[in-house]
Amino acid sequence: MEGILYLLGLLKGMVTPFGITDLIDILIMAFVIYQVIKLIRRTNSGGVAKGILLFLIAMGAASIFKLNTVSFLLGKVVEWGVLALVILFQPEIRRLLEQIGRTNIGKVFTHEEERNELDSAITQTVEAYTSLSKTKTGALMVFERKNMLDDAIKTGTALDCTVNAELLKNIFWNKAPLHDGAVIVRAGRIVGAGCMLPMSGNVNLSRELGMRHRAGIGASEHTDAVVAIVSEETGSISVAVGGMLKRHLAPETLERLLRNELLPEQEDEDTAPKFKLSNLLRTGKGEKRDAKKTD
């Protein structure tokens, strides 16, 4: 009995009461970790983060197995590596600090306003694409999801405005200065226009597909973005997701597809049809059939 009481006394001494300072400490660390993860996603630095993690695991293994020479060399690399990372990510770190200064902490935990803007953006996009399709005006829009497209935005003109059908028709008018590039939408707002996208590396694409379609497919190959395209030759509407292209879409089909891809949690799983593009093209039949048609 005395041993149990002694053990309980030790445990009581080890456990400290949870106070308001502990809560503040946890919130600060959660916010810092959130911003770091957001920075990695924004700069597509996932590979660098994985490399650093593997490096730390190697250091731990060298210490456990007492590999003195390896531990010494890895320790020297860490000393210079921190400075190298600061130099390498200097623009991103500066942008992160600026963003922290502008951040409304309340928005970190709620996305309702963004969802409402995205819902409106889809409606306005469908309205604009319906008109652009009839006039055979080429258009290319990229809806950003988890993978940030800052590098593409830098190639065009940075904007910050709501998605509006009339604005889109003016941007893609064939005599407008920004009509050749892509419009990039982030969280329901236009953040860039006239942006250049990477071309698809798929050698099996139909030669009849134009540069606009190849750029749209390329963007969907490199990121998880949803890309909506209007053909300048035929006026047909297409959507690219995950490197797959679905063509000749009706406006109502375009709207359903965009909502299912960009706002999937709003759909009722029991009643809503499974209309995601990735599901439609999983068998590859749609892609093969559409690749034979002219752009």
Side-chain angles (χ1 to χ4, degrees):
M1 189 66 182
E2 292 181 359
I4 296 175
L5 293 175
Y6 178 73
L7 180 60
L8 291 176
L10 289 177
L11 292 175
K12 184 177 180 181
M14 294 173 61
V15 177
T16 57
F18 187 84
I20 186 65
T21 55
D22 300 302
L23 177 61
I24 295 174
D25 191 24
I26 293 173
L27 290 176
I28 292 174
M29 289 306 301
F31 180 74
V32 171
I33 293 172
Y34 169 81
Q35 291 295 337
V36 170
I37 294 174
K38 192 173 180 181
L39 173 64
I40 292 173
R41 284 171 46 189
R42 181 180 296 275
T43 57
N44 293 323
S45 302
V48 176
K50 291 178 182 177
I52 294 174
L53 179 61
L54 291 175
F55 186 81
L56 294 177
I57 293 173
M59 286 189 64
S63 177
I64 292 173
F65 293 106
K66 300 185 183 304
L67 304 176
N68 297 328
T69 305
V70 175
S71 297
F72 174 78
L73 291 176
L74 293 179
K76 290 298 181 181
V77 171
V78 169
E79 291 179 8
W80 292 100
V82 174
L83 178 61
L85 287 176
V86 172
I87 296 174
L88 181 63
F89 291 103
Q90 184 270 335
E92 286 77 10
I93 293 174
R94 178 177 178 179
R95 192 182 307 121
L96 172 63
L97 295 176
E98 292 176 351
Q99 183 179 355
I100 291 175
R102 298 193 303 264
T103 297
N104 182 349
I105 297 179
K107 289 186 178 180
V108 171
F109 303 100
T110 176
H111 302 284
E112 190 61 31
E113 183 178 348
E114 291 182 0
R115 291 182 58 82
N116 291 336
E117 284 207 76
L118 187 55
D119 182 83
S120 174
I122 293 173
T123 301
Q124 293 296 317
T125 299
V126 173
E127 181 181 339
Y129 269 43
T130 301
S131 176
L132 294 171
S133 177
K134 293 178 180 177
T135 59
K136 295 184 179 181
T137 302
L140 179 60
M141 287 184 67
V142 182
F143 290 87
E144 182 185 81
R145 290 200 278 190
K146 292 182 179 180
N147 299 138
M148 299 300 180
L149 300 171
D150 284 7
D151 291 341
I153 295 172
K154 291 177 183 177
T155 65
T157 301
L159 300 173
D160 184 16
C161 57
T162 58
V163 180
N164 180 275
E166 296 302 321
L167 175 61
L168 291 176
K169 286 188 283 187
N170 277 279
I171 290 176
F172 291 121
W173 179 50
N174 59 9
K175 293 185 180 180
L178 301 176
H179 80 280
D180 275 335
V183 166
I184 297 179
V185 178
R186 172 182 296 166
R189 296 183 65 82
I190 296 176
V191 293
C195 302
M196 299 295 104
L197 301 178
M199 292 294 170
S200 172
N202 187 352
V203 296
N204 296 320
L205 292 177
S206 171
R207 294 182 179 179
E208 297 170 346
L209 290 176
M211 301 295 287
R212 185 175 283 109
H213 286 78
R214 292 180 181 273
I217 296 172
S220 71
E221 289 174 346
H222 290 83
T223 70
D224 63 349
V226 179
V227 186
I229 310 161
V230 175
S231 171
E232 191 172 358
E233 296 181 6
T234 65
S236 65
I237 300 173
S238 307
V239 171
V241 178
M244 297 180 292
L245 183 68
K246 183 65 179 178
R247 302 172 64 192
H248 307 290
L249 302 177
E252 57 272 16
T253 306
L254 171 66
E255 182 170 7
R256 290 174 59 195
L257 196 154
L258 290 178
R259 291 189 182 281
N260 284 338
E261 291 288 347
L262 301 172
L263 301 171
E265 59 270 26
Q266 286 189 341
E267 297 293 334
D268 187 347
E269 294 182 358
D270 296 328
T271 59
K274 305 300 182 183
F275 199 73
K276 295 189 76 172
L277 182 60
S278 55
N279 294 334
L280 285 176
L281 299 182
R282 188 167 295 167
T283 61
K285 294 180 180 179
E287 186 179 3
K288 291 179 181 179
R289 182 179 64 251
D290 292 334
K292 296 179 180 179
K293 297 180 181 180
T294 58
D295 181 12

